[in-house]
Each structure stands twice: as structure tokens, then as C-alpha cells.
Amino acid sequence: MASELDLSRDRLDAPFARRVEELSGENPYACYQCGKCSAGCPFADHMDALPNQVLRLVQLGDESALTLSAPWVCASCLACGVRCPKGVDIAKTMEALRLLALRKGISHFPLTPDRPCPQIALVGAFRKLTP
Ligand code: SF4
Ligand code: SF4
């Protein structure tokens, strides 16, 4: 039997989504999933979820977003934000997810030989991790 997706108001006002909004200053529910961000992301090929998919998980209050490598691959280049017709700054959302992951002890920086990532992504990630 196919699993059902709970799109009730309670679900969509999930504490996780509100926490991400609080940390990022960006309203995840402003996103209407047009996909322009993902189409313009230069690192999308290296992500395990596209930027709009990351936003969707946040909208649904799905904390599995914290286990994705995508926020760590994001180099905060801002290409997504300038393309977004709703003005969502996804780089800030990615930063909030990194913060929450670190607070929960989930380290997902993909520094493994079988999982290379672009050099600029490394630079961006280290910059974010520098106090
Ligand atoms: S471009 Fe903006 S509205 Fe479109 S999917 Fe990305 S975040 Fe959502
Ligand atoms: S800021 Fe991150 S998610 Fe947005 S286009 Fe750049 S690498 Fe992709």
C-alpha cells in the first residue's frame, strides 16, 4: 500500500520548519517549487537533493533534511537566490540546516575519496565552519 503524505496545517506548521525559518530569516513556505533555483545551482550535480527539494523537506517539517549532504555542498554562491521569483535566499536556509545539523551532532561534510566535491564548495564550507 502506498504511504500517505500528511499535508495538514499541523504538519506544515512543523516546529522544525519554524526553527529553520527562525535561524535563516527566510520563510520556507514562500517557495512554490518552481525549480529555478535548482536549474541554476552550479553544484546541483554534486548534491543528494536539489535545492528546491531541500526546501520541500523543510516545508514538510521533515528532519531528514539534516542528514543530507546538500547543505554542505552548497558554497553560498547565491545563484539560487537571485533567480528565485519569490525572493527566497536558499543559501541562508542551507546555513540554518548546517547549524541545526551541527547542534544535533550530525556531521555530514562529504570528505571521502568516493565522494569528491568541488573546490569552491570546500572553501565555502570551511568559511562557514570558521568561528
Ligand atoms: S526558485 Fe524559489 S520559489 Fe522556485 S523552487 Fe527555488 S526557492 Fe522555491
Ligand atoms: S547558494 Fe548553494 S544552493 Fe544556491 S546556487 Fe549556490 S551552491 Fe546552489
Side-chain angles (χ1 to χ4, degrees), residues 28 30-38 51-53 55 59 80 83-90:
C31 168
Y32 58 7
Q33 292 292 306
C34 69
K36 285 181 180 288
C37 52
S38 300
N52 69 294
Q53 293 173 327
L55 256 295
Q59 288 174 334
C80 50
R83 294 170 65 97
C84 178
K86 298 298 295 290
V88 179
D89 188 337
I90 301 174

Side-chain angles (χ1 to χ4, degrees), residues 6-125:
D6 180 3
L7 296 177
S8 67
R9 180 179 293 274
D10 286 345
R11 169 80 166 156
L12 294 178
D13 280 334
F16 174 64
R18 292 303 169 197
R19 189 78 183 113
V20 172
E21 180 176 9
E22 186 179 289
L23 285 171
S24 67
E26 296 296 307
N27 178 9
Y29 297 118
C31 168
Y32 58 7
Q33 292 292 306
C34 69
K36 285 181 180 288
C37 52
S38 300
C41 175
F43 300 106
D45 286 348
H46 301 275
M47 294 177 173
D48 51 2
L50 296 172
N52 69 294
Q53 293 173 327
V54 175
L55 256 295
R56 192 61 172 148
L57 287 174
V58 173
Q59 288 174 334
L60 295 172
D62 190 335
E63 295 197 27
S64 69
L66 297 180
T67 64
L68 296 171
S69 68
W72 300 97
V73 174
C74 170
S76 301
C77 70
L78 308 181
C80 50
V82 298
R83 294 170 65 97
C84 178
K86 298 298 295 290
V88 179
D89 188 337
I90 301 174
K92 289 183 179 176
T93 302
M94 295 290 199
E95 174 72 359
L97 291 173
R98 288 192 293 266
L99 284 171
L100 286 172
L102 287 172
R103 289 178 187 181
K104 288 179 175 283
I106 304 170
S107 179
H108 206 326
F109 194 63
L111 281 177
T112 58
D114 61 329
R115 184 153 203 167
C117 63
Q119 187 176 23
I120 191 171
L122 288 173
V123 173

